[in-house]
């Protein structure tokens, strides 16, 4: 039998040099929950953030003694579609309350119905005030 990726749980994983600041951005700014964390697992520290029951989560890791660097371009994006305008405004306000300011999107499409923010590693997150058409 073929395994369907449509039912798979997705983990987006990436390294960071700013683990505590990245956790603050996604937990406090975007409202993610800490699902799991680990320290010194073969030299790595990490935190998994998401929402219980969601089909995805984010993992951020830091290898001790290794520099991860920052985003390679301004168009490396995580896009969250938030159709309810009040919920969208609340999400934007949470990030702004933490001191994050919206940045101009590399692709102007994202500025039409959304706001783009840079996390501490300069990876960009788009809060799109629209529903996903799929």
């Amino acid at each position: 039998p073929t395994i369907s990726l449509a039912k798979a749980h997705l983990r987006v994983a990436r390294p960071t040099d700013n683990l505590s600041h990245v956790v603050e951005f996604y937990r406090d700014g975007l409202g993610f929950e800490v699902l799991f964390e680990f320290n010194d697992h073969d030299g790595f520290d990490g935190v998994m953030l998401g929402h219980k029951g969601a089909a995805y989560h984010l993992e951020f890791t830091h290898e001790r003694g290794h520099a991860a660097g920052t985003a390679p371009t301004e168009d490396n994006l995580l896009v969250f579609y938030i159709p309810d305008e009040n919920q969208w405004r609340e999400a934007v306000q949470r990030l702004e309350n933490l001191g994050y300011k919206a940045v101009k999107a590399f692709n102007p499409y994202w500025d039409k119905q959304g706001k783009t923010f840079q996390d501490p590693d300069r990876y960009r997150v788009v809060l799109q005030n629209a529903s996903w058409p799929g």
Side-chain angles (χ1 to χ4, degrees):
T2 303
I3 296 174
S4 172
L5 291 181
K7 300 210 187 273
H9 185 93
L10 174 67
R11 175 186 291 180
V12 177
R14 79 155 217 257
T16 180
D17 295 323
N18 303 296
L19 189 58
S20 63
H21 292 6
V22 166
V23 168
E24 176 186 77
F25 179 89
Y26 289 90
R27 182 193 60 211
D28 302 340
L30 291 174
F32 281 67
E33 299 172 47
V34 173
L35 301 175
F36 185 76
E37 42 189 327
F38 56 90
N39 291 299
D40 199 17
H41 183 264
D42 294 329
F44 286 84
D45 300 327
V47 179
M48 293 172 203
L49 297 147
H51 304 283
K52 289 180 176 83
Y56 71 93
H57 68 270
L58 307 177
E59 177 186 34
F60 299 99
T61 60
H62 175 71
E63 181 182 11
R64 296 171 185 195
H66 173 51
T70 59
T73 74
E74 293 179 338
D75 210 25
N76 286 85
L77 307 173
L78 281 178
V79 179
F80 294 98
Y81 289 86
I82 308 170
D84 182 276
E85 187 172 355
N86 288 330
Q87 291 177 355
W88 178 80
R89 287 186 190 283
E90 288 172 13
V92 167
Q93 189 65 54
R94 277 195 310 270
L95 284 170
E96 289 176 344
N97 288 346
L98 286 175
Y100 293 97
K101 303 290 181 220
V103 297
K104 185 178 180 195
F106 179 77
N107 180 336
Y109 171 82
W110 298 115
D111 288 335
K112 292 177 183 169
Q113 288 183 271
K115 288 193 182 266
T116 302
F117 294 87
Q118 283 189 156
D119 78 9
D121 293 329
R122 297 191 329 203
Y123 282 87
R124 291 183 171 203
V125 173
V126 178
L127 301 179
Q128 187 75 346
N129 186 207
S131 58
W132 171 247

